[in-house]
Amino acid sequence: MTMDKVRYMDCWVDDLREQMGRVMSTLEKEGASKEEIKKYKKGFLQEIKNAEKHKKKQQAQVTAFLKIIGKENCPKSAQKLRQIFYSTRTDEGYWTLPVLPFWGIKAMEAIGGQYIRKANSDNPDYKKFHKKITGLRDALRDICQYMKDPDIQKYYEVRAYNDKEVQAHITLKSDEEFFEQVRGRGMQLDMFLFEGKKLGRPSLKEFYNFVYQLARRYEEISEQKFTVLRHRESDGKNAGEYVPITPGHEFIYEAVRWICEEFKDTDGLPDLRYTDKNIYNACEQAQKRLKDDKNGMKKVK
């Protein structure tokens, strides 16, 4: 294997081996028992095994992306792919965070939140809780309406000035602070109840942004225009599905599969997936946004 081919592979396994060597040496110098040394070594070897497995998985994914964009023998493209999908190491030895998972995780958190809200909406206990929260919000809304009424405000002013034990401005300030707290609690409940109503669009908004970011990187790495064409499979196991027939669409399809795998089993959620139609629609929007971006740049020039 040439140096060019290994430069884009992460060195976390090598770091673990070096760390294990240092720890073993320190333990021996400090007179640690054989059992303790064996225990630490076993732990390191397991971590190294996991890291090697993860590295092979990363390399297989990068190879899959390279094949899609037609850059199988391009170390530079492989390095760019690693930088946007995985943590990488700089020439100075520092680890840098990947570019795209930020948007991908937001997209998956959105669909996860959608699933939880849907599950809650079908739960009888949650329905009772939601009804009580709605009742509390209605009560707070009534309080806010009454506190804005001129007659009610006049009542509190007279009450404040008739209080012989506390100065009027102190009483009025206390009433004002109480009202602000009630209004603040009401706004919090508004947000909670509003979130419960959002079942579809928020996840698609985050997902569309993720796909747009992917499409931008696709053009940068492949040096090709991102395109998507509507094609639905007519027969077979994928009959009726939107199947990728352009490299750009295929790249997005694979990247979405990747983020779904990365997100799987997080927080005890089921295997959440965006549909082939979601992916196709997001690709269409990304294609339009990229075109608008280029037209905007032309106008600026």
Side-chain angles (χ1 to χ4, degrees):
M1 183 177 287
T2 65
M3 181 59 70
D4 283 339
K5 288 187 177 180
V6 300
R7 283 178 65 185
Y8 60 79
M9 295 173 67
D10 68 70
C11 300
W12 181 237
V13 175
D14 295 333
D15 284 356
L16 282 172
R17 288 198 179 100
E18 290 177 10
Q19 189 178 354
M20 182 178 71
R22 289 196 300 270
V23 171
M24 294 300 104
S25 177
T26 301
L27 288 172
E28 289 175 1
K29 288 179 181 178
E30 292 178 351
S33 65
K34 290 184 179 180
E35 289 75 15
E36 189 175 4
I37 294 174
K38 184 178 179 181
K39 178 183 175 183
Y40 273 96
K41 187 173 183 180
K42 183 179 179 181
F44 271 109
L45 290 175
Q46 184 59 50
E47 286 297 317
I48 290 170
K49 184 179 179 181
N50 293 337
E52 287 176 335
K53 183 178 178 181
H54 188 57
K55 185 163 75 170
K56 288 179 181 178
K57 186 178 177 182
Q58 284 187 9
Q59 186 54 34
Q61 186 62 69
V62 170
T63 300
F65 283 129
L66 288 171
K67 186 176 180 181
I68 290 171
I69 63 177
K71 298 270 188 178
E72 292 96 324
N73 299 312
C74 182
K76 187 176 180 181
S77 297
Q79 174 67 357
K80 286 182 179 180
L81 284 166
R82 281 186 46 75
Q83 287 172 344
I84 65 173
F85 286 103
Y86 301 106
S87 296
T88 52
R89 216 173 186 184
T90 65
D91 292 337
E92 293 77 24
Y94 298 106
W95 288 94
T96 60
L97 294 174
V99 177
L100 277 174
F102 169 77
W103 286 283
I105 289 171
K106 287 188 70 174
M108 294 309 297
E109 285 177 344
I111 197 174
Q114 180 186 0
Y115 169 83
I116 292 170
R117 288 192 295 273
K118 179 64 171 63
N120 285 338
S121 68
D122 295 333
N123 186 321
D125 292 333
Y126 181 80
K127 287 181 178 179
K128 291 179 184 177
F129 168 72
H130 196 276
K131 186 176 180 180
K132 290 179 180 180
I133 290 292
T134 304
L136 175 60
R137 179 61 190 94
D138 291 342
L140 293 179
R141 184 177 287 126
D142 288 341
I143 291 174
C144 288
Q145 288 300 114
Y146 278 120
M147 292 297 287
K148 292 177 184 177
D149 186 278
D151 292 334
I152 298 296
Q153 290 180 353
K154 185 68 175 177
Y155 161 77
Y156 275 100
E157 288 177 10
V158 172
R159 172 179 167 276
Y161 282 103
N162 288 339
D163 192 339
K164 298 291 190 288
E165 297 181 1
V166 183
Q167 296 181 20
H169 74 278
I170 295 177
T171 302
L172 289 172
K173 187 174 186 301
S174 176
D175 291 338
E176 183 181 342
E177 289 174 349
F178 167 72
F179 174 60
E180 287 299 320
Q181 288 181 0
V182 169
R183 186 164 61 177
R185 297 293 186 275
M187 290 176 66
Q188 290 173 357
L189 292 177
D190 272 340
M191 291 299 296
F192 173 79
L193 294 171
F194 176 70
E195 283 293 326
K197 294 177 181 177
K198 298 190 297 180
L199 293 177
R201 297 307 299 174
S203 63
L204 293 182
K205 179 182 176 182
E206 299 293 354
F207 180 63
Y208 281 13
N209 189 42
F210 173 52
V211 171
Y212 166 69
Q213 299 296 339
L214 281 168
R216 286 180 56 199
R217 269 65 184 195
Y218 167 82
E219 290 196 338
E220 174 191 338
I221 299 172
S222 69
E223 300 175 311
Q224 301 172 30
K225 183 179 178 182
F226 176 79
T227 59
V228 58
L229 296 173
R230 183 188 292 266
H231 175 74
R232 301 183 75 172
E233 200 70 16
S234 57
D235 52 25
K237 66 176 183 178
N238 297 324
E241 293 186 4
Y242 291 84
V243 178
I245 57 173
T246 65
H249 189 182
E250 189 178 356
F251 181 83
I252 301 297
Y253 204 92
E254 179 63 19
V256 173
R257 187 203 63 77
W258 168 80
I259 194 66
C260 287
E261 288 297 318
E262 291 289 305
F263 198 84
K264 189 165 62 175
D265 299 328
T266 302
D267 298 327
L269 293 175
D271 188 7
L272 301 171
R273 302 274 168 172
Y274 284 97
T275 67
D276 57 289
K277 186 176 181 181
N278 292 152
I279 297 172
Y280 172 76
N281 288 338
C283 285
E284 266 202 338
Q285 190 189 82
Q287 183 176 239
K288 183 179 182 303
R289 285 181 67 180
L290 289 169
K291 183 178 179 181
D292 291 342
D293 290 346
K294 289 167 185 173
N295 289 337
M297 290 177 65
K298 288 179 181 178
K299 288 179 181 180
V300 172
K301 291 180 180 179

